[in-house]
Amino acid sequence: MNRWRFALSKRWAGYLALTVVVAIACSGLGLWQFERRAEARAEIDRIESNYERPAAPVGDVLATPGSFEESQKWLPVLLEGTYLPDEQLLVRNRPFAGRPGFEVLTPLLLADGTVFVVDRGWLPTGSEQDAPDDIPAAPAGPVSVTARLKASEPLLSSRSTIAGSGQIPTIHLPQIAELLDRPAYTAAYGLVITESPEPATAPMPSVTPVLDEGPHLSYALQWFVFAILAFIGLGWALRQEYRTVNADDPEEKERADERARRRAARAPSDDESEDALLEASERR
């Protein structure tokens, strides 16, 4: 046991503490990746459950203008009302397929006097201005709209609304309700599916979400492997120091000689090395 006394030193206690910290950090990152995978799986389940359901009147899906649950994401709803084109808004900094652009939000005034925000699609940034070159007009008069529900986005304190520009940084529905100064749905908005009457031109509609949970499972397993490797590395370093500290011990000398004999047996002889070099030069 005295041969291992060095392992009880403060230095090796520090190495052990560092290894434990690294292993805990790697395990924490692995658990975080498992959580990310669970979130991705839950989103896939919502898409598969809700995306192709028949549209129901918005009042039947959302009990109040302020109600929305994550389980209702992607549910199609039916909206009857009149667009308010003069109060249309653009959400800036919305890339699509690597191109910068805007989401077009057009408030829809429902029969009960409340406003539901409809995302009518995406438009690219103009060639000579920080706005779309042209915004297709929403259908005039009474319109029937089907749209898929999405939750209000968080307010970004680092980005402000540009006064008088009609542009906003995020789809934060309570803020939009203040801008409209009308009773409005403040927990969910809708991605347009169809409009009747159908407009002659329209922004690019949203694309179907990709059912991909991502590489979170493989990343999680890799982090746990790193945690195990940290202890394997500690054990290897401990063994190496043991051999150094006990180099004069007869038993360790015998083991060292045996390891040297094994390495020598595996190593090619001088003649074999020369033959390999000759063969390589002949191939060139």
Side-chain angles (χ1 to χ4, degrees), residues 165-190:
S165 68
Q167 296 184 13
I168 55 177
T170 181
I171 307 176
H172 183 64
L173 295 174
Q175 182 187 50
I176 293 175
E178 291 180 7
L179 294 174
L180 297 174
D181 195 24
R182 296 171 182 267
Y185 282 77
T186 56
Y189 68 100

Side-chain angles (χ1 to χ4, degrees), residues 22-259:
V22 170
I24 290 174
C26 290
S27 299
L29 290 168
L31 293 174
W32 174 65
Q33 287 293 342
F34 275 132
E35 292 175 359
R36 294 286 304 278
R37 178 175 182 263
E39 293 172 358
R41 288 300 316 169
E43 179 67 3
I44 291 173
D45 291 343
R46 280 191 293 269
I47 295 170
E48 291 178 338
S49 174
N50 296 342
Y51 204 81
E52 298 298 338
R53 281 195 182 185
V58 66
D60 294 348
V61 179
L62 302 176
T64 67
S67 65
F68 176 78
E69 296 180 3
E70 193 67 14
S71 61
Q72 296 173 310
K73 185 178 181 181
W74 305 114
L75 277 176
V77 294
L78 179 63
L79 305 156
E80 303 280 350
T82 305
Y83 277 125
L84 303 175
D86 293 339
E87 300 187 59
Q88 186 165 266
L89 297 167
L90 297 176
V91 191
R92 61 181 184 268
N93 297 324
R94 297 285 168 142
F96 178 76
R99 301 175 62 192
F102 299 82
E103 298 284 341
V104 182
L105 303 183
T106 310
L108 183 69
L109 181 63
L110 305 180
D112 62 1
T114 58
V115 170
F116 188 92
V117 175
V118 177
D119 185 337
R120 299 185 57 240
W122 180 88
L123 293 173
T125 299
S127 56
E128 298 181 1
Q129 58 184 353
D130 189 17
D133 285 334
D134 180 61
I135 302 176
V143 62
S144 177
V145 178
T146 55
R148 290 189 175 93
L149 294 179
K150 286 195 72 177
S152 173
E153 297 176 356
L155 182 65
L156 300 179
S157 58
S158 60
R159 300 180 183 178
S160 60
T161 299
I162 302 175
S165 68
Q167 296 184 13
I168 55 177
T170 181
I171 307 176
H172 183 64
L173 295 174
Q175 182 187 50
I176 293 175
E178 291 180 7
L179 294 174
L180 297 174
D181 195 24
R182 296 171 182 267
Y185 282 77
T186 56
Y189 68 100
L191 300 176
V192 70
I193 304 172
T194 62
E195 297 170 303
S196 181
E198 186 176 345
T201 59
M204 183 178 297
S206 61
V207 297
T208 303
V210 178
L211 303 180
D212 181 14
E213 68 179 45
H216 302 300
L217 179 59
S218 62
Y219 286 168
L221 297 178
Q222 287 175 23
W223 281 117
F224 286 116
V225 169
F226 292 155
I228 295 171
L229 287 176
F231 285 102
I232 292 176
L234 179 68
W236 179 87
L238 189 65
R239 185 188 65 175
Q240 294 301 108
E241 183 151 340
Y242 172 86
R243 292 174 176 176
T244 301
V245 170
N246 297 282
D248 295 333
D249 182 81
E251 293 183 7
E252 184 56 33
K253 280 185 177 180
E254 184 178 344
R255 285 192 288 267
D257 291 341
E258 179 61 24
R259 289 193 296 270

